[in-house]
């Protein structure tokens, strides 16, 4: 599974970066979202992966028997997902304002010469 | 913790000052001055205790780094504390009247109080770091005060210059104080041993000295003080008679038992103080602006104090304290007189001022008293000068020190004659000149009278604060303060200097005329300007080098650097992941193919809508991955966020730019190559990282205690709301702020500038 | 987009409107369910808040954003503040018992037939998270939707 995840993460990073290198502001945002997903997956994978065993203590037990997925990384990523959404919304608002001010969706038009 | 309460109370009052000023207009200063006068009385009442055994207060703050809220009221602190609160109170009254009708009066009073609290903190602090904190606060508040007339170019320049010079010195001082604390094994000032023989002595003395010299406007850093005269006059009176510039002198005096008594100390302080006296005294004679004259004599007086501290020994310690007090009183009075004259006539040019005594009799009398003290005839000034000459004459460097003192004394006499006498005599040249309200002459009058009166009772003064203050500088001080020491060389020198000064003052007009032709900017200031310009050029060059303003360049730099660092780290060892079993199930492969297709599709899509939908598909793929790998919480959150993201994009499409396909094929291929390399590197990193374990996972504790301690079976949730609740608290705060930011940014135009969600 | 007036609000699609109207209460109940069981099963304030916001976002797409504000009644910024306050209060309650900030305090209730209910400050904290996430997300969506 880790091989597949490595492929997926690599693809998301590559796709995200490619999108960010384009000249359109909306593509930049899509690339940003992709790289966010990639980073979350990378953190998730680096804590070690376990198939379909959630970190839930079963009824009647005091603790959960290994192997189980690392709960700490999940907690970290959970907040990262929500914050990522807020960041994306903020970037979207910025792009929209810039578009209004500059009148163009091209990133190159925004640099001052 | 009375000192802490006192300082805090002044800061609190600073916050209230604007309201007070709005309510009471120009009378606000009278009310606000009650606090400093109260503190003055409190400190004065402690005088017997200070003379017996200086009271101390100590409250741990950050004990790990030796930072405590430690305060001490010894003789030196008492002397300074009385000057700060006493003159401070008078200045508040004066400032309120001086700014009458100006809407910024409240701000000025507030800044003055802010400064007063900081300065009081400096002299009461008994911890090196705490002292430094207050020290920097005085720099900040004096910046606000000097630049008070922020719409004037010169005022801004003066403020920035003062901040750069004293702030730069502050950096050196911080290093010196920390070094000193390390060398002495304590940050408690009252416990500092003598470091004279310490191997690091020369280094830390140099750093501390730079801090003190910049603050006290010693040559070659003296130029900022006259430029700070752009401040409103009450500010100049306060900052440059008793407080801000005396902070450096205070610290030198405070640290004399620790750092003094060495040859380096004596030579450095004599040389710097002497040079400052000559430069300041000389330049004072050729100025025509009343305030600049006073500023340069202040520079000379500060040099005198540094020199006296450099001489060392009992006589010098006593002389320094006596002169400190005398100077604070007469210089404070003269600055306030200058302000009153400016207020009454509209000019401070001594060439245009004469015969003011008839129109401004009270101010004139106060100026006369202060002038006599400056001249060294009125008791307080006489006492101080006698003691200084005696100390200088009995030291090994007598020729240099007494010589410098004589030159300064001549300059003081000259200026005292011009400022305290000449502009008030003769035929009136300003028909509109008039006396100000009581608030404007009360301050100079009180200070002038004290300058005469205190000197008449030297024994009482010595017992009240003088001896104790000198004792802080020179432990086991046994000196004796008296007016009459018999006919000796010191008396002769003093009289000689007065005569020379008064005779020289006849040439005042020619000197001023000569000075007015010279360019204002002289050597040291030119070096300062060059340094500032150089720093700006360096910053500009560097900025234009690294800040292209193009996202592409930034991204390429960031990614390139990451790749290089990654490669450097990877080359060091051979990872063992190739040995891992290639354990893959069919549905996982399907998921991967879907995600890969999504990524490629998004990169190729020509319309915004399709790109966003594909982004959603990829997001769902990620969510499914979480499901497969035991993270249901993540999966649910991810799905909800994906839905919301798509909704967000769709809702805003009409306001967003359409795709452009401006890049050429080679560019796109190049970008694709870079992206592929980067993706490959990150995938590789993922493989390596997934099997590195450098220690026990932290989560073991959470897993073990989730149910027994935190009553929760969902460990992820327990971590979020219990174990690491404080982090989550921070995160939702950030989230709320981001939300408000988006709403504000989004609706700024709709509602005409303000954020509104109704 | 051409809308037609139905009742008080302009709507854009009848199907979407009826789906949204039916889904809103369902999603809200579901989000509260997620919030409540979050401490023991998958769910919690973050997820719950997002689901509730998604429900209203759907509603905003079907009807006008203004209608959503009318349904909620409370200013979303007030909800944000209330959420932060809940979370802070959950932290302070422990201090009242002379424990460090954020220490969990629990009370349990033993009902008949072995039903036991436990409730503690972490739940209050989660409610705070729910409110903040919900109000932030929804106000972002609404502020953008209202621009049309």
């Amino acid at each position: 599974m880790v091989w597949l995840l490595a492929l997926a993460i690599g693809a998301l990073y590559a796709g995200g970066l490619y999108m960010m290198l384009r000249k359109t502001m909306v593509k930049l945002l899509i690339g940003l979202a992709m790289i966010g997903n990639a980073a979350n997956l990378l953190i998730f994978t680096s804590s070690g992966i376990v198939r379909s065993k959630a970190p839930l203590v079963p009824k009647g037990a005091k603790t959960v028997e290994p192997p189980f997925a690392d709960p700490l990384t999940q907690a970290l990523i959970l907040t990262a997902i929500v914050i990522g959404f807020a960041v994306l919304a903020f970037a979207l608002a910025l792009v929209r304002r810039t578009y209004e001010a500059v009148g163009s969706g091209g990133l190159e038009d925004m640099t001052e010469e | 913790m009375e000192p802490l309460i006192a300082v805090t109370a002044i800061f609190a009052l600073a916050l209230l000052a604007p309201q007070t000023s709005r309510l009471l207009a120009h009378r606000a200063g009278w009310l606000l001055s009650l606090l400093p006068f109260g503190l003055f009385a409190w400190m004065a009442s402690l005088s017997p205790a200070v003379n017996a055994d200086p009271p101390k207060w100590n409250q741990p703050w950050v004990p790990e780094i030796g930072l405590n809220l430690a305060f001490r009221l010894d003789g030196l602190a008492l002397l300074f504390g009385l000057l700060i609160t006493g003159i401070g109170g008078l200045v508040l009254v004066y400032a309120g009247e001086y700014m009458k009708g100006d809407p910024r009066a409240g701000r000025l009073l507030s800044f003055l109080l802010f400064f007063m609290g900081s300065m009081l903190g400096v002299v009461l602090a008994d911890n090196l770091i705490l002292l430094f904190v207050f020290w920097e606060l005085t720099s900040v508040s004096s910046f606000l005060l000097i630049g008070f007339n922020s719409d004037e170019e010169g005022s801004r320049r003066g403020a920035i210059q003062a901040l750069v010079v004293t702030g730069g010195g502050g950096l050196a001082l911080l290093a010196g104080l920390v070094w000193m604390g390390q060398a002495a094994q304590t940050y408690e000032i009252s416990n500092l041993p003598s470091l004279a023989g310490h191997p690091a002595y020369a280094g830390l003395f140099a750093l501390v000295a730079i801090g003190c010299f910049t603050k006290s406007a010693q040559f070659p850093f003296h130029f900022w003080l006259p430029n700070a005269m752009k401040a409103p006059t009450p500010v100049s009176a306060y900052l440059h008679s008793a407080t801000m510039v005396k902070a450096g002198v205070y610290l030198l005096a405070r640290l004399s038992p620790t750092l003094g008594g060495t040859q380096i100390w004596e030579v450095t302080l004599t040389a710097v103080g002497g040079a400052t006296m000559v430069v300041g005294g000389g330049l004072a004679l050729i100025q025509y602006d009343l305030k600049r004259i006073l500023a340069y004599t202040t520079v000379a007086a500060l040099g005198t104090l540094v020199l006296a501290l450099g001489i060392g020994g009992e006589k010098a310690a006593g002389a320094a304290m006596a002169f400190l007090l005398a100077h604070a009183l007469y210089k404070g009075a003269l600055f306030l007189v200058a302000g009153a004259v400016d207020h009454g006539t509209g000019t401070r040019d001594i060439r245009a001022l004469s015969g003011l005594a008839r129109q401004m009799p009270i101010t004139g009398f106060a100026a006369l008293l202060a002038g006599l003290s400056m001249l060294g005839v009125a008791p307080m000034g006489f006492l101080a000068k006698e003691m200084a000459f005696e100390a200088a004459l009995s030291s090994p460097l007598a020729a240099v020190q007494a010589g410098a003192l004589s030159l300064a004394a001549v300059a003081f006499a000259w200026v005292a004659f011009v400022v305290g006498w000449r502009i008030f005599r003769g035929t009136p040249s300003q028909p509109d000149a008039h006396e100000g309200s009581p608030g404007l002459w009360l301050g100079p009058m009180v200070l002038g009278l004290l300058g005469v009166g205190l000197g008449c009772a030297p024994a009482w003064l010595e017992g009240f604060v003088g001896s104790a203050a000198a004792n802080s500088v020179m432990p086991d001080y046994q000196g004796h303060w008296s007016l009459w020491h018999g006919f000796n060389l010191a008396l002769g020198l003093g009289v000689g200097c007065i005569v020379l000064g008064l005779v020289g003052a006849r040439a005042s007009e020619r000197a001023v005329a000569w000075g007015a032709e010279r360019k204002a900017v002289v050597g040291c200031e030119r070096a300062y300007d060059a340094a500032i310009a150089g720093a700006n050029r360096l910053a500009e060059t560097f900025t234009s080098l690294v800040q292209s303003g193009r996202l592409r360049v930034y991204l390429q730099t960031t990614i390139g650097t990451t790749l290089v660092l990654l490669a450097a780290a990877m080359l060091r060892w051979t990872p063992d992941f190739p040995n891992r079993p290639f354990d893959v199930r069919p549905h996982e492969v399907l998921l991967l193919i879907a995600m890969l297709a999504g990524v490629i599709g998004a990169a190729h899509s020509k319309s915004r809508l399709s790109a966003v939908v594909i982004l959603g598909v990829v997001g769902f793929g990620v969510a499914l991955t979480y499901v497969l790998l035991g993270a249901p919480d993540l999966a649910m959150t991810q799905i909800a966020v994906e839905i919301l993201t798509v909704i967000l994009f769709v809702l805003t499409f009409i306001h967003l730019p359409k795709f452009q396909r401006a890049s050429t094929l080679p560019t796109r291929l190049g970008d694709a190559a870079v992206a592929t390399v980067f993706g490959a590197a990150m995938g590789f990193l993922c493989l390596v990282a997934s099997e590195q374990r450098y220690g026990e996972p932290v989560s073991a504790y959470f897993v073990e205690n989730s149910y027994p301690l935190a009553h929760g079976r969902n460990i992820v949730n327990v971590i979020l709301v219990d174990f690491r609740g404080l982090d989550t608290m921070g995160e939702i705060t950030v989230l709320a702020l981001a939300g408000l930011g988006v709403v504000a940014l989004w609706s700024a135009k709709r509602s005409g500038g303000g954020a509104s969600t109704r | 987009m051409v809308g037609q007036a139905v009742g008080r609000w302009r709507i854009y699609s009848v199907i979407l409107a009826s789906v949204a109207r039916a889904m809103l209460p369902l999603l809200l109940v579901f989000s509260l369910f997620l919030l409540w069981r979050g401490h023991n099963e998958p769910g919690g304030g973050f997820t719950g808040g997002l689901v509730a916001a998604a429900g209203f976002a759907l509603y905003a797409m079907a009807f006008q954003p203004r209608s959503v504000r009318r349904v909620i009644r409370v200013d979303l910024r007030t909800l944000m503040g209330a959420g932060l306050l809940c979370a802070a209060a959950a932290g302070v309650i422990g201090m009242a018992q002379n424990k460090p900030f954020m220490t969990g305090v629990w009370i349990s209730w033993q009902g008949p037939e072995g039903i036991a209910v436990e409730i503690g400050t972490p739940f209050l904290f989660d409610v705070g998270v729910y409110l903040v996430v919900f109000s932030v997300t929804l106000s972002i969506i609404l502020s953008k939707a209202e621009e049309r």
Side-chain angles (χ1 to χ4, degrees), chain B residues 32-96:
Chain B
L32 292 174
S33 69
L34 289 180
L35 178 65
F37 285 142
L39 291 172
F40 181 90
W42 168 66
M43 281 189 277
S45 73
L46 287 179
S47 164
V50 170
N51 279 286
D53 182 26
K56 284 177 158 193
W57 298 266
N58 198 334
Q59 167 85 37
W61 184 8
V62 193
E64 291 82 3
I65 58 165
L67 177 50
N68 296 320
L69 295 172
F71 296 93
R72 177 179 56 156
L73 189 69
D74 65 349
L76 189 62
L78 179 65
L79 175 61
F80 268 94
L82 292 176
L83 289 174
I84 292 164
T85 50
I87 299 186
L90 293 172
V91 165
L92 283 179
V93 171
Y94 183 92

Side-chain angles (χ1 to χ4, degrees), chain A residues 1-30 33-35 37 40-42 44-64 68-83 85-97 99-100 104-113, chain B residues 549-552 555-556 559 577-578 580-585 588-589 592 595-596 599 602-603 605 611-612 615 618-619 622 625-634 637-638 641-642 644-645 648-649 652 655-660 662-663 668 671-672 674-676 678-679 682-683 685-687 689-690 693 697-699 702-704 707-708 712-716 719-720 731 734-735 738 741-742 745-749:
Chain A
M1 185 68 193
V2 77
W3 292 91
L4 299 183
L5 274 171
L7 263 175
I9 290 168
L12 280 173
Y13 267 112
L17 178 61
Y18 180 79
M19 295 294 272
M20 287 179 85
L21 285 171
R22 304 273 55 77
K23 289 181 175 173
T24 317
M25 287 191 269
V26 179
K27 285 191 182 173
L28 169 71
L29 297 185
I30 293 174
M34 272 193 188
I35 284 193
N37 273 329
N40 286 343
L41 268 183
L42 179 61
F44 187 71
T45 315
S46 62
S47 73
I49 49 170
V50 178
R51 280 205 181 89
S52 56
K53 182 86 182 286
L56 298 168
V57 181
K59 281 238 161 96
K62 286 239 175 275
T63 179
V64 52
F68 54 87
D70 190 330
L72 185 63
T73 35
Q74 293 195 18
L76 293 177
I77 296 168
L78 203 149
T79 48
I81 294 174
V82 180
I83 296 263
F85 173 75
V87 168
L88 193 68
F90 197 84
L92 206 58
L94 269 181
V95 162
R96 189 219 172 310
R97 276 269 157 267
Y99 180 48
E100 248 177 28
S104 149
L107 285 168
E108 301 291 308
D109 304 325
M110 286 158 54
T111 52
E112 44 178 358
E113 293 296 336
Chain B
R550 286 168 191 276
L551 182 68
R552 275 181 79 85
L555 274 176
Q556 281 160 351
I559 302 292
F577 65 81
R580 295 189 75 177
F582 194 76
D583 170 23
V584 170
R585 293 179 195 169
E588 293 167 356
V589 176
L592 176 75
M595 280 168 71
L596 289 183
V599 170
S605 67
V612 165
L615 176 69
V618 173
V622 174
T625 315
Y626 289 141
V627 171
L628 291 178
L629 295 177
D633 287 287
L634 291 192
T637 313
Q638 176 84 24
V641 161
E642 285 313 324
L644 288 166
T645 306
L648 195 64
F649 268 105
T652 49
H655 303 292
L656 287 179
K658 289 209 165 60
F659 278 8
Q660 300 175 332
S663 356
R668 267 181 286 147
D671 288 348
V674 171
T676 311
F678 178 60
M682 295 312 281
L685 180 70
C686 166
L687 282 176
S690 66
R693 279 282 174 269
V698 213
S699 48
F702 300 139
V703 173
E704 211 154 287
Y707 189 66
R713 297 182 185 280
N714 180 359
I715 304 171
V716 176
I719 291 176
L720 281 173
E731 269 148 4
V734 170
L735 199 63
V742 173
L745 204 58
W746 205 257
S747 50
K749 200 175 163 192

Side-chain angles (χ1 to χ4, degrees), chain C residues 14-146:
Chain C
V14 180
I15 299 173
L16 184 60
S18 32
V19 168
R21 200 173 294 165
M23 285 295 277
L24 180 61
L26 276 179
L27 282 173
L28 280 184
V29 170
F30 181 57
S31 80
L32 289 174
F33 168 70
L34 282 176
L35 168 66
W36 169 248
R37 68 168 208 163
H39 215 54
N40 293 311
E41 304 286 333
F46 278 101
T47 323
L50 287 171
V51 168
F56 276 108
L58 194 66
Y59 199 77
M61 289 184 87
F63 304 95
Q64 280 201 340
R66 225 180 319 135
S67 62
V68 174
R69 299 218 191 260
R70 230 174 278 158
V71 171
I72 299 177
R73 290 196 192 150
V74 192
D75 189 327
L76 286 174
R77 284 172 300 183
T78 316
L79 278 185
M80 275 183 221
L84 286 176
L85 222 67
C86 275
V92 175
I93 289 177
M95 290 173 82
Q97 299 192 347
N98 242 346
K99 290 176 196 158
F101 183 65
M102 281 286 167
T103 308
V105 179
W106 290 84
I107 44 169
S108 55
W109 175 75
Q110 291 290 334
E113 294 167 31
I115 299 170
V117 176
E118 268 193 318
I119 191 156
T121 50
F123 179 70
L124 182 61
F125 189 90
D126 223 6
V127 171
V129 172
Y130 177 96
L131 286 175
V132 171
V133 170
F134 166 72
S135 52
V136 165
T137 317
L138 190 59
S139 59
I140 288 173
I141 297 272
L142 286 187
S143 72
K144 300 195 175 182
E146 270 164 358

Side-chain angles (χ1 to χ4, degrees), chain B residues 51 75 201 215 281 288 347 427 563 730 733 747:
Chain B
N51 279 286
Y201 174 80
K215 194 84 166 180
Y288 56 84
T347 179
T427 45
L563 285 177
T733 312
S747 50

